[in-house]
Amino acid sequence: MKAEEVQVLLEQLASATATTGGDAWRRTWTDLSGSLMDDGVLADGAYAALPHLVEAAAVLPPGQTADFWVDLGFMVTADYRPPVPADLEAGFGAALRLAERAATRTLLAAKFPGQVCAQLVLSCVALSGHHIGEVLGRFPDLPEGELLLSCPACGSDTEVSDFLVDPVRPSVEAPPLPDPDRDPAVVREEGHPWSEAAEALREEALGEGWEPFLRVARDVAVRGVPPETPGQALMCLVAGMVAVRGTPQQAAGELARRLMSLTGHFRCWDCERTWTIADGLAEPPKSLAEIPDGLAEIADGLAAPDRPEEIPDDPFSPHRRVQARPDSNGSAARAESAAAARTSPAATRFRQEENAVVGADGTPWGRISVFSDAVPGSSTGVDALAVVPRPGRSPLVAGGGARGVVCLWDVTDGRLVHDPLPGHPDAIRSMTTLSLPDGRVLLASGGDSGTIAVWNPLTGRPVRPPAGDWPGGVTAMCTAAVPDGRVLLVTATPRGAVRMWEPDSGDCVGSLNPYGSPIRSVTAVPISAGHALIAASDTAGRVHLWDPSVDDPWDRGAAVQLSAHALADADHRVAAVEAVLTPDGTMLATADDLGVVMLWDPATGAPVGDALPSSTGTAGPPLVTAATPHDGRTVVVTGTRHGHRLRVWEPETGVVRHIALDVALTCLATAGAELIVGHDRGVLSLPLTGQ
């Protein structure tokens, strides 16, 4: 984050205020917010920059700033927040109070779609300093039908199935509030911004039976949302505001009633203590080494009963006693790894320090190898990578970008093996390698204007002149092995053309994608020796699988489509696909623009294991690669194009490690035990699994 970037945004905000309009600041804010917080980690400089930005945004017309306040809410509830420097503490605290007033004014000034309204209310709560604002980071991950809660005492996860449905009538009583006569601290001093919110809450907003919940919501607002307010009561306020400020009215009401379900209780399967569901969603402050005794009583306002028989077992009751869903594969290793990750967060967070990757506690990950500049003295980014195998020797890494040249590096030391290969007539957007039956290995590159080039990477010479002129460019490539012994080049365009080519002659020998869906990503998924399926994701978030060995593109052949039911249940709109080789066979990984990654069995089309959930700060075009290093553990690495953070996921154990780099990511690949990272200034590598 640079001071100049903050100054530009301040000037744009001032201009928008003076002209009562203008959207230029929104684009700048979107770019800058990625520097202020990346993958759930708040930057140190945020405490200096945000007070100035809050002051400038607070005077804009309220209807224009909802996204700004929601983003700010995510920042103040970030997974990892460094301590506020002493000299900035007063200014930052004042900025939060101003932000709370401005965000609440925005909430009351206009109506918003239900989901946005819920995020805005939770942001207002977060800016007020109440811990239930932490639910904001979980809110996009609350699917209808299941709920994952974390025990505030022991940290064990409890999964509740068949939960977040729309209850027509409440099955339990509204939660109580502490008595202000006994504890005056539960009423905030005058001057808080919630009085108008109290007036907006109508008891009839959700229909018959819900009036007591709306009365609790109004009471919370009248008291000014003090930090001592029970989490259950705060969720009444959030749901109530969604009911009266969300649109369309029917959908907002359904969402509000679902949110009211979070006012119940759950019993931890591990320590067998009872907690509120709302506080099981909100993680405790990261600065606390352990949760102090009595947190449940503070959060609940009234201790929940500890005896199971006192909690109804009605399956439709949000106050029922729930237990953790047993691990589907019974893996003790996964439970131990997950517990270790919870108890030692420093071991899962790493950052770049010059040419090394280290943890917050000094734990080493490994050395970074910076590849030689394509042109000596000049650092140029790459937009596509491919790994070229060399039997008996270390592989080569090929990279291409906007300059239209291909560079090849030795993965062991990052040096160029020969001069950059010119001759590509346009910017390179995609690359792949082809291992042919005669033992040759070729390298193919696809251009921004639709040209396709094929090279001999060992000699640096083109196999044939670049050809093709496909509208929209060649956005993705892969290699298709078919049972008759041929190895074909598969290319895809954003206009939906998916073609198969004979690599030596350049002849088109077939086409896939009969629906013509615009394609974002393709990959080859081996299903047997010499036979691979082609998987693709389109711009609508759908996944297609084709068998290139059949002549009729409408004939599915050996291809089994992914379970539409499982995709819909997960609300998984796929943006990228990648083959994942595991000791048990090849799986298909799918990633969406929210950062979720799922694994699938191509033989059945069913999901395998638990998904990698989304993570704050990873929204955007996904990058994904995978490998199984020499230790036999399958590792999936994900990132976001133009982001700075990687997530290294071991699906078998569920362990996720985060690595923050000082470069903007553009593409990923793996070469043996090395992770290859293409970025805006070149290429680097680091160990795939760390030390």
Side-chain angles (χ1 to χ4, degrees):
M1 180 178 59
K2 300 179 180 178
E4 293 81 0
E5 296 174 317
V6 178
Q7 184 60 41
V8 168
L9 179 55
L10 289 172
E11 292 172 356
Q12 291 175 339
L13 287 167
S15 175
T17 302
T19 59
T20 65
D23 286 336
W25 70 270
R26 297 180 188 275
R27 294 187 293 272
T28 305
W29 166 248
T30 299
D31 295 337
L32 182 61
S33 61
S35 299
L36 293 171
M37 186 181 71
D38 192 1
D39 200 13
V41 179
L42 189 68
D44 294 338
Y47 297 126
L50 287 177
H52 301 285
L53 298 175
V54 166
E55 185 176 357
V59 296
L60 281 175
Q64 299 180 13
T65 53
D67 292 343
F68 180 90
W69 303 122
V70 170
D71 288 344
L72 188 62
F74 277 111
M75 290 179 187
V76 301
T77 59
D79 291 340
Y80 291 88
R81 306 184 291 276
V84 182
D87 58 337
L88 298 178
E89 190 170 0
F92 188 71
L96 290 183
R97 292 190 293 273
L98 174 60
E100 180 193 10
R101 291 194 296 273
T104 307
R105 186 172 67 250
T106 294
L107 174 66
L108 297 169
K111 293 206 169 190
F112 304 95
Q115 186 94 350
V116 175
C117 185
Q119 290 182 324
L120 183 56
V121 182
L122 284 167
S123 292
C124 294
V125 170
L127 294 169
S128 75
H130 197 284
H131 77 279
I132 263 315
E134 301 277 352
V135 176
L136 178 64
R138 300 285 306 278
F139 186 78
D141 299 330
L142 294 182
E144 182 174 342
E146 65 179 31
L147 195 64
L148 187 65
L149 305 170
S150 179
C151 176
C154 68
S156 296
D157 288 338
T158 295
E159 185 174 316
V160 188
S161 59
D162 303 324
F163 191 82
L164 284 175
V165 295
D166 176 18
V168 178
R169 294 177 58 87
S171 59
V172 294
E173 296 182 356
L177 280 171
D179 186 350
D181 293 333
R182 295 183 179 179
D183 187 1
V186 299
V187 178
R188 197 168 167 187
E189 62 184 25
E190 294 183 3
H192 63 76
W194 293 93
S195 300
E196 292 184 34
E199 296 176 4
L201 289 163
R202 306 183 308 274
E203 291 185 14
E204 69 276 8
L206 289 178
E208 185 179 356
W210 295 97
E211 298 90 342
F213 293 83
L214 272 299
R215 284 195 289 271
V216 171
R218 183 183 300 137
D219 197 1
V220 171
V222 168
R223 300 182 187 201
V225 194
E228 297 80 7
T229 306
Q232 296 170 289
L234 248 299
M235 292 312 302
C236 288
L237 173 63
V238 173
M241 293 306 300
V242 170
V244 299
R245 305 305 301 169
T247 59
Q249 185 174 1
Q250 180 177 353
E254 293 174 357
L255 176 58
R257 288 189 291 270
R258 289 174 58 196
L259 291 174
M260 285 296 189
S261 300
L262 302 179
T263 62
H265 297 85
F266 77 102
R267 177 179 290 276
C268 173
W269 69 273
D270 195 356
C271 68
E272 298 186 353
R273 297 181 65 182
T274 301
W275 308 89
T276 66
I277 290 173
D279 291 304
L281 284 169
E283 296 184 7
K286 298 299 183 297
S287 59
L288 298 180
E290 59 183 67
I291 306 302
D293 293 336
L295 177 62
E297 288 73 20
I298 295 174
D300 295 347
L302 183 67
D306 253 345
R307 296 187 298 276
E309 60 271 16
E310 294 187 12
I311 304 178
D313 278 332
D314 176 2
F316 300 101
S317 169
H319 289 235
R320 69 188 185 280
R321 176 170 56 90
V322 297
Q323 300 290 344
R325 177 182 296 174
D327 192 347
S328 59
N329 59 15
S331 171
R334 174 165 189 162
E336 292 174 1
S337 299
R342 282 194 300 269
T343 57
S344 183
T348 66
R349 296 279 172 170
F350 297 83
R351 67 182 184 278
Q352 181 178 351
E353 286 189 355
E354 297 182 349
N355 286 342
V357 176
V358 299
D361 59 353
T363 304
W365 177 274
R367 299 291 298 174
I368 290 176
S369 176
V370 178
F371 287 20
S372 302
D373 294 341
V375 178
S378 172
S379 295
T380 303
V382 301
D383 294 309
L385 287 171
V387 175
V388 181
R390 294 190 297 176
R393 301 176 63 188
S394 60
L396 301 179
V397 174
R403 294 187 302 125
V405 299
V406 174
C407 299
L408 287 121
W409 297 271
D410 190 313
V411 73
T412 57
D413 53 18
R415 63 177 177 83
L416 282 167
V417 296
H418 46 61
D419 291 338
L421 312 182
H424 208 290
D426 50 3
I428 297 173
R429 298 181 64 180
S430 56
M431 303 183 81
T432 192
T433 54
L434 302 98
S435 297
L436 303 182
D438 60 9
R440 290 180 300 149
V441 176
L442 301 182
L443 173 67
S445 55
D448 195 45
S449 61
T451 55
I452 301 169
V454 180
W455 316 77
N456 183 326
L458 301 183
T459 65
R461 297 175 181 175
V463 173
R464 52 182 172 78
D469 184 19
W470 307 110
V474 180
T475 54
M477 309 178 104
C478 68
T479 302
V482 291
D484 62 10
R486 292 178 299 163
V487 174
L488 304 176
L489 172 64
V490 180
T491 63
T493 74
R495 296 197 177 185
V498 180
R499 295 181 173 89
M500 296 182 291
W501 310 85
E502 203 288 323
D504 280 309
S505 66
D507 295 334
C508 181
V509 296
S511 62
L512 304 170
N513 194 25
Y515 295 102
S517 305
I519 300 301
R520 294 181 66 174
S521 172
V522 297
T523 192
V525 185
I527 57 174
S528 64
H531 190 188
L533 304 178
I534 303 301
S537 61
D538 64 25
T539 54
R542 296 170 297 209
V543 180
H544 309 269
L545 278 99
W546 303 297
D547 187 344
S549 67
V550 297
D551 294 330
D552 184 355
W554 294 96
D555 185 350
R556 294 184 176 181
V560 176
Q561 303 305 307
L562 301 190
S563 168
H565 179 72
L567 286 166
D569 282 350
D571 194 21
H572 189 44
R573 298 172 62 85
V574 178
V577 290
E578 179 73 8
V580 179
L581 301 180
T582 76
D584 299 324
T586 304
M587 296 184 187
L588 176 65
T590 58
D592 63 26
D593 286 330
L594 297 176
V596 175
V597 180
M598 297 182 68
L599 295 181
W600 305 82
D601 183 348
T604 64
V608 178
D610 295 329
L612 174 67
S614 63
S615 178
T616 306
T618 61
L623 304 172
V624 58
T625 189
T628 302
H630 59 273
D631 60 4
R633 291 180 297 165
T634 299
V635 177
V636 179
V637 183
T638 69
T640 302
R641 187 171 177 83
H642 304 310
H644 297 267
R645 297 188 176 272
L646 300 168
R647 286 195 291 167
V648 182
W649 175 40
E650 296 178 12
E652 183 179 359
T653 63
V655 171
V656 182
R657 295 179 174 88
H658 303 250
I659 301 176
L661 298 176
D662 296 337
V663 295
L665 309 176
T666 55
C667 44
L668 299 173
T670 57
E674 292 292 308
L675 172 65
I676 314 300
V677 178
H679 55 86
D680 57 342
R681 301 197 299 274
V683 181
L684 59 83
S685 69
L686 62 147
L688 192 59
T689 56
Q691 296 181 349

